[in-house]
Amino acid sequence: MRKDVRILLVGEPKVGKTSLIMSLVSEEFPDEVPLRAEEITIPADVTPERVPTHIVDYSEAEQSEEQLYQEISKANVICIVYSVNNKKSIEKVSMSSLCIHCNLVEHSSMETILPIMNQYQDIETCVECSAKNLKNISELFYYAQKAVLHPTGPLYCPEEKELKPSCIKALTRIFKVSDLDNDGILNDNELNFFQRTCFNTPLAPQALEDVKNVVRRNMADGVKDNGLTLKGFLFLHTLFIQRGRHETTWTVLRRFGYDDDLELTQEYLFPLIKIPPDCTTELNHNAYLFLQSIFDKHDKDRDCALSPEELKDLFKVFPYMPWGPDVKNTVCTNDQGWITYQGYLSQWTLTTYLDVQRSLEYLGYLGYSIIYEHESQAAAITVTRNKRIDLQKKQTQRSVFRCNVLGAQGSGKSGFLQAFLGKNLQRIREDHKSLYAINTTYVYGQEKYLLLHEVMPDFDFLSEADLACDVVCLVYDVNDPRSFEYCAKTYKQYFMDSKIPCVVIAAKSDLHEVRQHYSLPPLEFCRKHKLHPPQPFTCNTSDPLGKELYTRLTTMAMYPHMAQADLKNSTFWLRASLGATVCAVLGFAMYRALLKQR
């Protein structure tokens, strides 16, 4: 909504511009009229739209043409005042701004007004008024204000008598967001929620029926199963506009985040959120519940995965497809390559962690703040406390932990990431490679997200982003004699003196292990630097891939302060792994049960 309205009155001398302003202020026709009235401001609390309104008079006798154009550039709306016998001012003012024509007569002259409106497309409306008789003076300035705050032009094409494409696109998104069960109709509960959201009051049952009856009388497929279809929804807004009630449509559009150009505002999509240094961003419980409901209403076949058609339907409220083909190598998919329920939540978690502004934008498209009745979708985000405080208190409240995976070219990093998603060597896709993999693990019965990030090998330079993580994996190929050297040198240069836990991964352990061309064998190197022994790993197997190693990484990320002796304790890892197994089974069973209930 605009902060104020600035109305400029222009026209030939002595057509009554100043008289109109003075009659509005004094509520009587002035005996003496100056050449030009001073600018007046009508306070917000006395205008119907609660917006301050400035009224500016222009006098050709006192002001130059240059001053006229300066005033035009500052005005929101131009009122071109003319008498029925003098229309020169219409041709004189040519601009793309909104115009209202005031016909200063004492008798009806609609036959002269309609041709003018047809000739000049910028004219929003015409008002017959008379300063002498105080006819339609308040109405004139009300319509001028309305032309700024609720313009017809962006919404409706009078020649075609239909909504404009940009308006249809915006209202279609609003319909889909309001269709909470995604059945293609707005039932009474959804219509009431929509009404309360936009106008702060529900509709009485009879009022709801009256609305649907209006649609039924005018179109065959506007109501289905006693609910309003998209066609019926669009028809209602067309009817509002045709009856001069376009402020109703504008109220709906602005409540759902649209500006005067029918684009979602930056304030709506990107609400302010402060993220201090060394803090991360995560989705909170309500956000996960919302995203679960979005998944649930689009998973039509209840197979706990989104088919390409279901995913496309989910993202119809977006102006573009937000997830690329690489997402299938970033999160868990089923055997058909469709994103699973867990993979879907994981991708949202990844986006929120890496790019919270993008996550806010996506939640805005889905209508999070509207459906959950929050001020903005920033309410969906938890900003974690500083990592240094976690280290001091030796505990963390975070749910997402980052593991950077480093290693020489061809050492097996990609396989290590894909194995975390349950994909063995035969299922790994070479196309659309992703440098990220995210999935859940369970530590002491708590579900946590572990985010693996493959860092491209460049020993000479690792950026701050390459070093910013909670745990590090150094991967080498047991069958390549030159592979471990990269891990050893990287550790000594970047991580030996840091507090970040490190784990050495002996990848491709199904192959013959060769002697590494480094001064110390991997096992001796780990002993010298008080690291865990190299952890054997292979994804070249037909057996189910376990999560024990990834659970260990998550645990180290959660408890970096623990002594190496504690971390090497077999009982410690048994407790963590047992919790992971039990919770993983229970978590999937609970989701299945929820689906059956629905």
Side-chain angles (χ1 to χ4, degrees), residues 153-189:
L155 306 181
Y156 185 74
C157 179
E159 293 82 8
E160 303 293 334
K161 293 185 171 57
E162 61 184 26
L163 299 174
K164 289 187 174 179
S166 57
C167 182
I168 293 174
K169 180 181 177 182
L171 290 174
T172 299
R173 170 184 166 266
I174 291 170
F175 179 90
K176 285 190 67 65
V177 169
S178 304
D179 183 12
L180 301 178
D181 57 9
N182 197 36
D183 64 351
I185 62 172
L186 298 183
N187 59 38
D188 286 359
N189 289 334

Side-chain angles (χ1 to χ4, degrees), residues 445-506:
Q446 300 178 62
E447 183 184 58
K448 303 294 179 182
Y449 283 93
L450 180 64
L451 165 59
L452 302 180
H453 175 216
E454 180 182 344
V455 178
M456 300 308 290
D458 186 354
F459 173 75
D460 295 327
F461 176 75
L462 290 179
S463 67
E464 288 188 16
D466 297 330
L467 302 175
C469 58
D470 303 298
V471 63
V472 170
C473 274
L474 298 167
V475 181
Y476 76 96
D477 179 355
V478 298
N479 194 239
D480 181 355
R482 293 179 176 82
S483 185
F484 180 72
E485 182 181 13
Y486 177 91
C487 296
K489 289 183 176 180
T490 299
Y491 174 80
K492 291 174 69 175
Q493 180 166 342
Y494 295 103
F495 300 107
M496 187 166 66
D497 298 323
S498 78
K499 295 181 180 180
I500 301 174
C502 294
V503 175
V504 177
I505 305 295

Side-chain angles (χ1 to χ4, degrees), residues 292-530:
Q292 179 180 324
S293 71
I294 296 294
F295 181 96
D296 189 36
K297 78 177 190 178
H298 288 90
D299 182 19
K300 293 293 188 181
D301 54 9
R302 295 292 187 264
D303 64 347
C304 299
L306 294 176
S307 69
E309 293 75 21
E310 290 169 339
L311 195 64
K312 184 178 179 181
D313 185 48
L314 190 155
F315 288 130
K316 277 184 178 178
V317 295
F318 286 59
Y320 56 86
M321 185 66 181
W323 295 354
D326 61 324
V327 70
K328 295 182 179 180
N329 288 325
T330 305
V331 300
C332 291
T333 60
N334 63 14
D335 292 337
Q336 295 169 283
W338 300 352
I339 297 172
T340 63
Y341 168 73
Q342 187 56 59
Y344 163 84
L345 293 181
S346 295
Q347 179 64 21
W348 277 99
T349 303
L350 173 71
T351 304
T352 305
Y353 184 92
L354 295 179
D355 188 353
V356 69
Q357 290 297 321
R358 185 61 58 88
S359 188
L360 290 171
E361 178 189 359
Y362 292 173
L363 288 168
Y365 293 137
L366 292 172
Y368 173 82
S369 62
I370 295 161
I371 293 174
Y372 270 49
E373 302 182 69
H374 291 308
E375 184 177 345
S376 76
Q377 54 267 30
I381 306 300
T382 294
V383 178
T384 64
R385 69 185 181 188
N386 193 296
K387 189 176 177 181
R388 283 174 293 183
I389 298 176
D390 285 351
L391 291 172
Q392 291 169 3
K393 294 183 176 291
K394 297 183 179 181
Q395 61 180 359
T396 183
Q397 297 171 333
R398 290 190 296 150
S399 297
V400 186
F401 299 91
R402 177 168 177 160
C403 172
N404 283 356
V405 181
L406 298 94
Q409 188 81 26
S411 59
K413 300 185 297 298
S414 297
F416 184 71
L417 266 66
Q418 293 303 301
F420 187 34
L421 307 178
K423 299 176 182 178
N424 58 27
L425 190 62
Q426 288 71 37
R427 285 189 61 200
I428 293 177
R429 296 164 57 99
E430 295 297 329
D431 58 332
H432 308 301
K433 179 180 177 180
S434 173
L435 296 179
Y436 294 95
I438 183 169
N439 202 354
T440 54
T441 62
Y442 290 86
V443 177
Y444 292 135
Q446 300 178 62
E447 183 184 58
K448 303 294 179 182
Y449 283 93
L450 180 64
L451 165 59
L452 302 180
H453 175 216
E454 180 182 344
V455 178
M456 300 308 290
D458 186 354
F459 173 75
D460 295 327
F461 176 75
L462 290 179
S463 67
E464 288 188 16
D466 297 330
L467 302 175
C469 58
D470 303 298
V471 63
V472 170
C473 274
L474 298 167
V475 181
Y476 76 96
D477 179 355
V478 298
N479 194 239
D480 181 355
R482 293 179 176 82
S483 185
F484 180 72
E485 182 181 13
Y486 177 91
C487 296
K489 289 183 176 180
T490 299
Y491 174 80
K492 291 174 69 175
Q493 180 166 342
Y494 295 103
F495 300 107
M496 187 166 66
D497 298 323
S498 78
K499 295 181 180 180
I500 301 174
C502 294
V503 175
V504 177
I505 305 295
K508 306 181 185 180
S509 59
D510 57 302
L511 302 177
H512 174 67
E513 184 172 1
V514 299
R515 185 176 180 277
Q516 295 293 318
H517 293 176
Y518 187 70
S519 57
L520 288 175
L523 181 59
E524 291 300 318
F525 180 90
C526 291
R527 285 175 179 169
K528 178 180 179 180
H529 295 284
K530 298 180 181 179

Side-chain angles (χ1 to χ4, degrees), residues 135-150:
K135 178 185 177 182
N136 291 338
I137 303 300
S138 298
E139 287 79 359
L140 159 66
F141 293 101
Y142 168 71
Y143 281 114
Q145 187 185 65
K146 189 174 177 180
V148 178
L149 301 177
H150 308 121

